Amino acid sequence: MDLIMKNANIPQGDRQVLTNILVNQGTIVGFTNSIEGIEADEIFDAQQNLVVPGCIDPHTHFMEPGFSHRDTFDAAGRSAAKGGLTSHIDMPCTTKPSVRSREQFHEKLNSIKDKAVIDYAFWGGMTGEDVREGLLHNIQPQVDEGVVAFKVYMTPSVPTFPPVSDAEMLEIFRHVAPTDLPIGVHAENLDICTFYSKKLESEGREDPVAWSEARGVIAEKTAIELILSFAEETDARVHVVHMTSKKGVELVREAKKRGVKVTSETCPQYLVLNAEEAMNKWGTFAKIAPPLRGKEDNEAFWQGLADGTVDFVGTDHAPYNIETEKKGSTIWTSFPGMPGVEQMVPILVSEGLNKGRLSLSRFVEVTSRNAAIHYGIYPKKGAMELGSDADFTVIDLERNYTIDKDNVLTEAKYTPFHGMDLKGIPVQTIVRGKMVYNADDGGIVSEPGYGKYVERQSIQRLDRELKYETENTLGQKVDVTDKEKQFTGGI
């Protein structure tokens, strides 16, 4: 063996089972009650901490190439590893150029592949400009390169990634639907957001909460209603990214009941922060898009995560330069975004798992398994199966921790989570059998360039029963379905 992780408490449904995990050539090759007589290059003692499949952030903006004054792939990757993430899926928009063709895909990949600390996959992209200029033929080449989904903005993001009109979005849905890949939509009604932002600014509103009021729940509600209609019309798979409101949860829940191909995600900030408190305290540093909402929305998302309406959690990690893009600006002119990869897993452990809002099995689903299935990288990622990548997040459920903006590893040293007291944090992060972060011995212990590009493995959907081929401990091929997993020792 290359590695034996001994004394690991792994999830079996909602139970923890103590075992020893055998790793060779970066993959899981077995589980055993005793390691007597088994040789290994390295033995790591997990000290009976919880060991879950490596956590995945399916929604990041690591800002390279093109915006390294905000963050870098290296710094963001180190921050992610410290936060217990073993993989992330990076968005196509906050780079120069944005990823909307095969050539742009490779330009981004070549720019960052020697900087990655953890493994990564890519979103592809389509914009209103692509529709107007007859460039929708660039969809299939991106699919061929292994992108896991396509991103669409209903409101402006960056100049290199223009938003779509309603008709342009419908046209993109029609062209992406045959690929059966998800279409992730930033769901805010542009006309509503623009009108009320100008209105409140003209009325002299400069208080931070005005940002949230201008982009009210109605902007998200009408946008989600539209994309659900388009999904029904085109049979496309639609995914509501960074959903923020109780109303959004209700719309998605009802759409799922009537068979619409819809999934959704939320972010830690929409689970634990609210506009009134956080924006008045942190000002522009809590300005994000879509904006923070109210406490009733926080609770709706915990319920939505628990009952399956909300499929998983991402961070929308999108930091901005403090001096030039956050400080000295009004609530209307500052840039909307915040870092988050370092805080996602600790917050879900402390406020979700440890407080009983999430069962252990559901915690695993919303932090790794569901995103891996949805984006077609399961069971290579998001699983503890024989043959899965040996990606592990080791969590000390009893360790106390206070979030400190000055100690984050991203280039942007700010977070509206600053001062939040947590119980339970990741203490080790292991990617393909190699330690990349160890809270108790050296911190970040991996070099940039270790992280690898993860190509989509297959087309998978959360609403379908999975069936895939794995190997048992004798090296024989075995078909395993999700319904049978409770009997196979995997998750």
Side-chain angles (χ1 to χ4, degrees), residues 180-208:
D180 210 21
L181 290 186
I183 305 168
V185 183
H186 180 125
E188 289 185 285
N189 180 289
L190 175 58
D191 192 44
I192 292 174
C193 292
T194 302
F195 178 86
Y196 284 100
S197 293
K198 290 180 178 179
K199 180 177 185 292
L200 294 186
E201 185 176 12
S202 69
E203 292 172 352
R205 290 284 300 276
E206 295 289 343
D207 57 297

Side-chain angles (χ1 to χ4, degrees), residues 160-189:
T160 55
F161 207 91
V164 292
S165 68
D166 294 351
E168 289 164 350
M169 182 166 65
L170 178 59
E171 190 69 0
I172 290 171
F173 274 41
R174 293 190 189 282
H175 282 76
V176 174
T179 73
D180 210 21
L181 290 186
I183 305 168
V185 183
H186 180 125
E188 289 185 285
N189 180 289

Side-chain angles (χ1 to χ4, degrees), residues 48-119:
Q48 299 188 25
N49 282 320
L50 176 64
V51 179
V52 298
C55 296
I56 300 168
D57 186 347
H59 188 146
T60 64
H61 302 266
F62 275 15
M63 297 294 177
E64 282 199 307
F67 296 97
S68 56
H69 65 290
R70 297 171 177 168
D71 210 352
T72 65
F73 225 82
D74 176 8
R78 286 185 279 114
S79 184
K82 181 181 176 183
L85 297 173
T86 59
S87 304
H88 71 103
I89 306 178
D90 209 52
M91 286 290 174
C93 43
T94 43
T95 60
K96 292 181 182 178
S98 56
V99 177
R100 295 149 57 188
S101 69
R102 173 182 274 127
E103 294 73 23
Q104 291 165 343
F105 169 93
H106 283 288
E107 189 167 344
K108 177 174 180 173
L109 180 62
N110 291 333
S111 172
I112 59 86
K113 63 183 180 182
D114 294 330
K115 303 176 183 179
V117 175
I118 63 173
D119 288 352

Side-chain angles (χ1 to χ4, degrees), residues 79-336:
S79 184
K82 181 181 176 183
L85 297 173
T86 59
S87 304
H88 71 103
I89 306 178
D90 209 52
M91 286 290 174
C93 43
T94 43
T95 60
K96 292 181 182 178
S98 56
V99 177
R100 295 149 57 188
S101 69
R102 173 182 274 127
E103 294 73 23
Q104 291 165 343
F105 169 93
H106 283 288
E107 189 167 344
K108 177 174 180 173
L109 180 62
N110 291 333
S111 172
I112 59 86
K113 63 183 180 182
D114 294 330
K115 303 176 183 179
V117 175
I118 63 173
D119 288 352
Y120 56 95
F122 285 161
W123 284 73
M126 277 286 114
T127 72
E129 182 178 75
D130 294 300
V131 177
R132 294 189 298 273
E133 297 186 2
L135 298 175
L136 291 174
H137 61 270
N138 282 323
I139 290 172
Q140 188 59 47
Q142 293 180 74
V143 175
D144 295 341
E145 296 298 335
V147 301
V148 300
F150 285 88
K151 182 67 177 292
V152 170
Y153 279 85
M154 296 178 71
T155 58
S157 170
V158 293
T160 55
F161 207 91
V164 292
S165 68
D166 294 351
E168 289 164 350
M169 182 166 65
L170 178 59
E171 190 69 0
I172 290 171
F173 274 41
R174 293 190 189 282
H175 282 76
V176 174
T179 73
D180 210 21
L181 290 186
I183 305 168
V185 183
H186 180 125
E188 289 185 285
N189 180 289
L190 175 58
D191 192 44
I192 292 174
C193 292
T194 302
F195 178 86
Y196 284 100
S197 293
K198 290 180 178 179
K199 180 177 185 292
L200 294 186
E201 185 176 12
S202 69
E203 292 172 352
R205 290 284 300 276
E206 295 289 343
D207 57 297
V209 177
W211 171 256
S212 293
E213 291 182 16
R215 304 171 81 101
V217 170
I218 187 64
E220 180 170 271
K221 174 181 179 289
T222 55
I224 292 175
E225 288 172 334
L226 181 66
I227 64 176
L228 291 174
S229 296
F230 285 3
E232 290 178 295
E233 173 69 21
T234 63
D235 201 35
R237 293 174 62 191
V238 67
H239 179 68
V240 185
V241 298
H242 49 47
M243 195 164 65
T244 71
S245 67
K246 178 181 178 181
K247 177 55 69 174
V249 174
E250 293 169 350
L251 288 170
V252 169
R253 183 178 289 125
E254 290 305 311
K256 286 187 173 188
K257 288 179 181 178
R258 64 177 189 267
V260 181
K261 293 179 181 177
V262 59
T263 49
S264 67
E265 73 187 29
T266 194
C267 308
Q269 52 268 34
Y270 305 123
L271 289 166
V272 299
L273 300 179
N274 66 81
E276 189 69 31
E277 294 175 357
M279 295 205 71
N280 282 325
K281 183 176 183 178
W282 298 110
T284 60
F285 294 105
K287 178 184 176 181
I288 56 178
L292 296 173
R293 304 293 183 194
K295 291 183 179 180
E296 69 170 3
D297 300 290
N298 298 151
E299 290 308 312
F301 278 107
W302 285 116
Q303 179 60 43
L305 283 173
D307 68 23
T309 302
V310 183
D311 296 279
F312 45 81
V313 178
T315 64
D316 193 18
H317 175 94
Y320 285 89
N321 185 278
I322 292 176
E323 298 300 324
T324 62
E325 296 172 327
K326 284 291 186 180
K327 276 186 177 180
S329 302
T330 72
I331 199 63
W332 305 113
T333 59
S334 64
F335 287 68

Side-chain angles (χ1 to χ4, degrees), residues 3 16 29 47 75 82 105 126 130 146 159 167 180 200 227 247 268 327 329 338 353 370 410 440 450 479:
L3 170 70
Q16 294 184 41
V29 297
Q47 300 180 341
K82 181 181 176 183
F105 169 93
M126 277 286 114
D130 294 300
D180 210 21
L200 294 186
I227 64 176
K247 177 55 69 174
K327 276 186 177 180
S329 302
M338 58 178 277
L353 182 60
N370 282 3
T410 58
D440 300 322
Y450 177 70
D479 282 337

Side-chain angles (χ1 to χ4, degrees), residues 370-391:
N370 282 3
I373 294 171
H374 185 64
Y375 294 114
I377 57 175
Y378 184 91
K380 180 181 179 66
K381 302 293 186 184
M384 276 186 180
E385 294 288 342
L386 301 178
S388 296
D389 280 358
D391 294 350

